Amino acid sequence: MKQMIAVNSKNTGDQSKDNRGYAESWTSEQLDGLLSEDWLRKKVADIRGGNEKLKDWLPFICPHYSAFRNNHRAQADIIPDTFTFMTCVDVDDKELVDTAIQRAFELNEDPDGDWYDQVLRMEYSARKKVHIYIRIPKGMTIEEAQKAFCQELDVPYDVSCITPERFIYLTGKDEEIYRSAHWLEQLSDEELAERREAYLNRGLDVDGRPLKQDSPAGNHTAEKTLNPPTAQLTYHGIPYSTIINEWLEDKNVKAGDRHRTSLTLADQLRYITDNDASLIERILRETPFVKEIIEERQENVTKTVQDAQKFDFLHNTPKRMQAALKRAGVVADDEADSDPLEEMPLPQLPRMPQGVKESIDAVGPNLMMPVVTAICPVIGMLATGVKLDVHGVKNTLNLIAYIVGDFGSGKGKIDPVVDAWTAELMQQEKIYQDQEDEWRAKMLANKNKKEQPVEPKLPVRLLTLNNTVANIAERLANTDEKHAFSFTPEADTVAKQWKSSVNDFSVMVRQSYDGSRYYREARSAEAVNVHIERLLWNITMCGTPDALYRVVNNYTDGFQSRIAVAKTPDNTYMPLEVTPYVLTDRQAERIQQVAHLLPLMQGEVTLNKLEAKGREWVENVRLESLKSDDKVRARQRFRVCVTTQRMICCLMLCKVCETLIQKHGYQGAENLLKMKPHVWKEQLQKAQTQQLLEAYDVVADYLIDTALYFFRERIENAFSSRNYVNAADRQRIGKNDSIFARLDVDFGFEGALQHSISLKGGDVSRNQVRMMLKNWKKQGLIVQTETGRYRKVQEVCH
């Protein structure tokens, strides 16, 4: 059975039909007849001959829907039930066309890939670019499918292709490169039901768009989509639409200057979006006067944003945007009491795989980075058999996380998410707890007898931090060489319980991060003796900033650099959520599916693309730090790189689980991993998608910025302290170690400043250097040759 499709032939001579706002339902036979028309062939030839104005008179197809109300092609008139579950990728760079076509064929023919038999049609566009029609994977939205397929093709993602009412110009049968037997094939009722249910389970309508409150599809809301509508996007709790209205207040937008105004708005939005082009495009598309431009002229918003990038932004201070922020009630960036970390927009990760996505949906987008940081140690614990090669060293996915937030900041939302990931282990732990309770009861019953019941050595893996060093060490020795995991919603548990032995805690955490040996000897026969060849213990803690400093109080032993720190955003003045984010049963079920599959993965892996991304990031930070002489950032980058690679590997493992579940079902995925123990390694290599590699930069930048936000001053003070450097070493500073000796014969003020900072620390001021140079001149060590330039007196130098 063939599917209907929305088409505009642009050749009827009827002005009411030959316009961009019209689209009627055609059969596939009617469409094929149109594609074979001679007049269409001639128009394409004329356009390629240089008459590009004719492009606007080409017929078009609406790939996403087969019908609109009253044949009016507009979002307001979409009929959700006519969604085609198809989209069209537009490759608009001539240099990428050939490789994109070749790659599309490869993806379509790879039986082990995600896009096997999903390419429906390919055709050259009027300007010899290429249109690739694909089937949208089950549960994905138009935008998600576009992004995922473009990443596989290694071509730029075009934001203009994701609008539901989007149309694609037709070029005719002669321009057709490939057509699948499934092109315009009607999906079965069962398949349609499954696909619609997949959307409804995500809180979306049956066509993947956010549900309206009065939607007949069910009692779902649109609050928990990965990419919520712009109305839900806020800056410091204020909707962007409110800020834009304030921005427009001092200038009436007229028809003649809308394009210029949209360009200016795009430029000034960079000020509050951290120059995030994708976010700016989403905001612009929901701005009324920009929407009118899109509907009337099919304006390319992507180009508007790209043009805005060319503005001299650093010298074009957006005063109108600053004023708009103040009128909208947003604290401006230039206010002295603002929080430096809160001035930055929240980092945005691309679409996350199953398990991770549900974790984010359960807490909301504002807690995206905290929840991802919190669950990665759990994922690393579950995937205890996986060893990742980082810089030539293979190690397990050992991770320590601390989620910082003031009281009432939403940290508690993470608790049920962690519980969902560990649900299966909790069931096993209850059995162990019953066995230990039984042993204790026997001990009490037989306390006066010579023969006592033997204490069971149970492989308990979920360890409470409200415990002694000895008990924790003993538990860790009995985990059958698998990871243990500890979670505490209140980090003060650690600070209080381990107060007298915080150094022991620090040592154990450091050794668990490295997976090194841990020995604990005791003279008493009754005391605990522990010999652990590889300490495997992942930890997630939540707590307030002051509790963080009670847990981490040494800044030179490497403890701090091994912890991934995330911060909940300041919600002091944010309104209460209309529909609070909660973990649903469906989300918990999907998390538990992934959690069940992760322990089935065993072996060592080398992820070359991830390694290359890590090295690229480390080198970029090195160069940035070198330019600013930022030794703390430069030193911090080493372990942030390792931590991030482990975290991204965790996300990629979840992607493997998602892929296997989608292709084989949950039970089928489990059976496959058991029958083919190496299949996960093959899938993990494919999981190194551009999407997840881009997530590396987001996570790494976030971790290093957050760590420096909390620890920079303490690290600097610790390393400059006299207690840190051995006294004997400090006495061996000779003439060749002095600032003067390090300077060239001819030197400048800035050189003297840098050498001063290098030897004396980051708190050296410019005035101190001026006084130093003045004293040198008085003593005859140097002479001034020009403003800011000096020369050593040679007699003194020898």
Side-chain angles (χ1 to χ4, degrees):
M1 180 179 175
K2 292 296 183 180
Q3 185 178 44
M4 303 285 284
I5 196 71
V7 178
N8 186 321
S9 73
K10 283 291 191 76
N11 196 45
T12 65
D14 185 345
Q15 291 185 356
S16 66
K17 295 183 178 181
D18 291 347
N19 63 79
R20 291 183 173 180
Y22 183 85
E24 60 187 11
S25 297
W26 281 28
T27 64
S28 57
E29 290 79 10
Q30 287 176 299
L31 179 59
D32 279 343
L34 173 62
L35 295 175
S36 302
E37 290 284 352
D38 288 335
W39 64 265
L40 177 56
R41 188 181 300 110
K42 185 176 184 305
K43 267 193 172 55
V44 172
D46 290 341
I47 292 169
R48 290 183 183 163
N51 190 359
E52 292 200 5
K53 291 183 179 179
L54 290 175
K55 181 180 176 182
D56 194 44
W57 287 98
L58 287 174
F60 62 71
I61 183 175
C62 300
H64 301 137
Y65 293 88
S66 60
F68 294 90
R69 293 184 188 89
N70 302 317
N71 294 334
H72 182 218
R73 187 189 64 82
Q75 285 197 32
D77 292 303
I78 281 173
I79 304 174
D81 288 340
T82 69
F83 188 56
T84 63
F85 296 95
M86 171 177 69
T87 190
C88 182
V89 171
D90 184 9
V91 181
D92 211 26
D93 187 332
K94 283 187 176 180
E95 295 181 358
L96 300 177
V97 167
D98 290 340
T99 54
I101 294 171
Q102 180 182 350
R103 181 63 179 147
F105 275 121
E106 292 172 357
L107 293 170
N108 194 52
E109 295 165 4
D110 181 7
D112 296 323
D114 296 332
W115 300 96
Y116 177 59
D117 202 26
Q118 298 303 298
V119 178
L120 301 176
R121 185 173 180 265
M122 288 190 279
E123 67 175 3
Y124 287 115
S125 68
R127 290 184 293 178
K128 208 63 176 180
K129 311 296 179 59
V130 67
H131 298 148
I132 305 175
Y133 295 82
I134 58 172
R135 180 74 70 203
I136 297 174
K138 191 178 299 181
M140 277 194 188
T141 63
I142 296 171
E143 180 177 6
E144 291 164 356
Q146 286 271 346
K147 283 183 177 178
F149 195 75
C150 286
Q151 286 165 357
E152 292 285 357
L153 295 183
D154 199 19
V155 300
Y157 155 62
D158 189 349
V159 178
S160 66
C161 289
I162 68 171
T163 54
E165 75 282 12
R166 168 74 173 175
F167 70 75
I168 299 292
Y169 286 118
L170 296 168
T171 53
K173 276 284 184 64
D174 293 349
E175 306 302 320
E176 196 170 88
I177 304 166
Y178 167 78
R179 177 184 290 208
S180 166
H182 306 303
W183 166 245
L184 294 185
E185 181 182 69
Q186 177 68 46
L187 297 173
S188 67
D189 292 341
E190 293 78 6
E191 179 73 1
L192 285 173
E194 289 180 6
R195 287 176 172 272
R196 290 169 178 170
E197 180 65 19
Y199 283 147
L200 293 175
N201 286 336
R202 293 184 58 184
L204 304 175
D205 208 334
V206 293
D207 57 346
R209 292 182 301 144
L211 272 169
K212 296 180 180 178
Q213 294 299 322
D214 57 352
S215 172
N219 295 322
H220 303 274
T221 67
E223 299 294 329
K224 299 184 182 177
T225 61
L226 184 67
N227 294 311
T230 307
Q232 301 300 321
L233 294 175
T234 62
Y235 178 72
H236 287 219
I238 306 297
Y240 282 104
S241 57
T242 300
I243 296 170
I244 292 173
N245 288 338
E246 294 293 343
W247 184 84
L248 293 169
E249 184 179 2
D250 57 3
K251 180 175 181 178
N252 293 324
V253 181
K254 301 176 182 178
D257 64 2
R258 288 181 307 173
H259 293 78
R260 179 65 185 176
T261 302
S262 64
L263 179 62
T264 306
L265 175 59
D267 176 61
Q268 300 224 337
L269 281 172
R270 297 165 66 195
Y271 179 68
I272 57 174
T273 61
D274 198 27
N275 205 16
D276 184 340
S278 176
L279 177 58
I280 294 171
E281 289 172 358
R282 290 169 61 194
I283 295 169
L284 289 178
R285 288 184 177 281
E286 293 303 317
T287 302
F289 75 89
V290 179
K291 285 180 71 174
E292 292 174 7
I293 297 171
I294 296 172
E295 292 175 0
E296 291 175 7
R297 301 179 56 175
Q298 197 68 17
E299 189 75 7
N300 191 330
V301 177
T302 304
K303 186 176 185 301
T304 300
V305 176
Q306 290 171 347
D307 289 342
Q309 308 285 331
K310 300 173 184 177
F311 276 34
D312 190 6
F313 184 69
L314 293 177
H315 297 89
N316 181 30
T317 305
K319 295 181 179 178
R320 283 183 61 202
M321 183 58 72
Q322 289 181 354
L325 293 176
K326 290 179 181 178
R327 288 195 299 271
V330 182
V331 178
D333 285 16
D334 58 352
E335 292 191 16
D337 60 350
S338 60
D339 184 340
L341 197 65
E342 296 302 336
E343 289 175 3
M344 300 183 298
L346 295 175
Q348 294 295 315
L349 290 168
R351 180 187 180 276
M352 290 287 100
Q354 181 175 334
V356 184
K357 177 192 172 302
E358 284 72 21
S359 301
I360 296 170
D361 289 347
V363 299
N366 285 350
L367 291 172
M368 175 181 286
M369 287 307 302
V371 78
V372 169
T373 306
I375 65 174
C376 278
V378 195
I379 297 171
M381 175 272 297
L382 292 167
T384 185
V386 175
K387 287 187 176 181
L388 174 67
D389 186 329
V390 178
H391 309 336
V393 178
K394 292 183 175 66
N395 211 332
T396 43
L397 302 174
N398 309 322
L399 291 164
I400 315 297
Y402 191 111
I403 314 304
V404 189
D406 294 315
F407 61 88
S409 63
K411 299 189 302 295
K413 293 182 179 180
I414 295 173
D415 299 11
V417 174
V418 173
D419 288 346
W421 282 96
T422 57
E424 190 169 321
L425 271 180
M426 284 182 181
Q427 293 298 321
Q428 183 62 54
E429 303 297 281
K430 288 179 181 178
I431 297 174
Y432 294 149
Q433 187 63 56
D434 290 343
Q435 293 177 9
E436 287 192 343
D437 290 345
E438 182 180 350
W439 167 74
R440 287 191 176 90
K442 290 180 179 178
M443 281 283 293
L444 289 173
N446 299 336
K447 63 181 179 179
N448 296 324
K449 296 181 180 179
K450 290 184 178 181
E451 293 186 5
Q452 297 290 326
V454 178
E455 180 180 358
K457 302 293 183 181
L458 301 173
V460 176
R461 295 174 61 192
L462 297 181
L463 310 182
T464 174
L465 290 174
N466 189 15
N467 214 328
T468 64
V469 176
N471 287 343
I472 288 281
E474 187 175 20
R475 290 290 197 193
L476 291 170
N478 295 331
T479 59
D480 292 340
E481 298 182 355
K482 294 180 181 179
H483 274 82
F485 176 71
S486 294
F487 173 73
T488 176
E490 292 296 340
D492 263 332
T493 300
V494 176
K496 291 178 181 178
Q497 181 64 41
W498 298 67
K499 186 174 182 179
S500 60
S501 54
V502 71
N503 287 337
D504 289 331
F505 179 71
S506 171
V507 169
M508 291 178 74
V509 171
R510 278 149 44 204
Q511 290 182 296
S512 67
Y513 181 90
D514 299 328
S516 54
R517 293 187 181 90
Y518 179 80
Y519 292 164
R520 187 177 188 276
E521 299 284 355
R523 291 185 178 181
S524 171
E526 296 179 355
V528 175
N529 284 272
V530 172
H531 296 145
I532 303 174
E533 289 303 313
R534 295 188 68 249
L535 187 62
L536 303 176
W537 185 26
N538 286 8
I539 303 170
T540 296
M541 296 172 277
C542 299
T544 57
D546 57 320
L548 172 66
Y549 296 132
R550 285 192 286 272
V551 173
V552 183
N553 55 26
N554 188 321
Y555 304 99
T556 60
D557 64 357
F559 181 32
Q560 169 271 321
S561 64
R562 288 172 168 86
I563 299 178
V565 181
K567 183 181 186 298
T568 60
D570 184 5
N571 64 344
T572 306
Y573 296 110
M574 289 178 64
L576 287 175
E577 297 162 337
V578 177
T579 307
Y581 291 94
V582 295
L583 180 71
T584 66
D585 292 341
R586 177 59 176 162
Q587 290 165 349
E589 179 187 356
R590 288 174 61 79
I591 289 172
Q592 289 160 19
Q593 288 178 352
V594 176
H596 180 75
L597 297 180
L598 289 170
L600 301 177
M601 303 176 185
Q602 305 280 331
E604 298 177 351
V605 289
T606 300
L607 300 176
N608 293 326
K609 291 182 180 179
L610 180 58
E611 174 71 11
K613 171 59 75 172
R615 289 181 175 274
E616 177 189 2
W617 182 85
V618 166
E619 178 62 12
N620 288 339
V621 175
R622 183 187 75 83
L623 294 175
E624 292 170 5
S625 303
L626 191 62
K627 292 174 183 176
S628 57
D629 194 34
D630 191 344
K631 291 183 175 63
V632 178
R633 178 179 283 270
R635 178 61 57 184
Q636 200 78 17
R637 68 194 163 109
F638 295 117
R639 287 216 175 94
V640 168
C641 173
V642 176
T643 298
T644 307
Q645 283 192 231
R646 291 177 182 177
M647 289 177 66
I648 298 300
C649 182
C650 289
L651 304 183
M652 290 178 173
L653 290 172
C654 293
K655 175 63 176 175
V656 171
C657 295
E658 178 185 62
T659 300
L660 295 177
I661 291 171
Q662 286 179 347
K663 292 177 67 174
H664 306 284
Y666 170 53
Q667 192 59 55
E670 180 181 359
N671 295 337
L672 184 64
L673 285 169
K674 289 178 179 178
M675 291 187 295
K676 296 182 178 180
H678 295 289
V679 71
W680 71 273
K681 291 186 179 183
E682 300 167 5
Q683 292 296 326
L684 189 60
Q685 296 296 333
K686 296 178 181 179
Q688 296 180 92
T689 62
Q690 187 64 29
Q691 195 173 33
L692 288 176
L693 292 175
E694 287 175 0
Y696 181 97
D697 288 330
V698 177
V699 173
D701 289 344
Y702 178 82
L703 291 183
I704 196 169
D705 288 342
T706 309
L708 292 177
Y709 172 76
F710 284 108
F711 297 121
R712 177 189 285 280
E713 185 176 350
R714 293 166 184 260
I715 292 171
E716 289 173 346
N717 292 339
F719 276 95
S720 63
S721 169
R722 291 181 178 271
N723 296 328
Y724 176 68
V725 182
N726 183 279
D729 291 338
R730 295 178 66 87
Q731 293 171 358
R732 289 200 297 268
I733 299 178
K735 65 179 182 181
N736 292 328
D737 297 311
S738 68
I739 297 171
F740 185 88
R742 292 187 176 194
L743 291 167
D744 294 331
V745 174
D746 292 291
F747 66 94
F749 176 87
E750 294 300 325
L753 175 62
Q754 291 303 319
H755 283 297
S756 299
I757 293 172
S758 177
L759 279 177
K760 299 172 69 176
D763 57 349
V764 174
S765 69
R766 299 178 73 88
N767 190 54
Q768 286 175 305
V769 176
R770 290 191 187 96
M771 291 301 298
M772 177 185 72
L773 295 175
K774 183 179 179 180
N775 290 331
W776 286 359
K777 282 198 296 181
K778 281 185 177 181
Q779 296 298 319
L781 296 177
I782 61 173
V783 293
Q784 187 166 359
T785 56
E786 58 183 276
T787 303
R789 298 295 304 175
Y790 304 89
R791 178 186 291 274
K792 293 181 181 179
V793 177
Q794 296 300 306
E795 290 79 4
V796 178
C797 294
H798 285 298

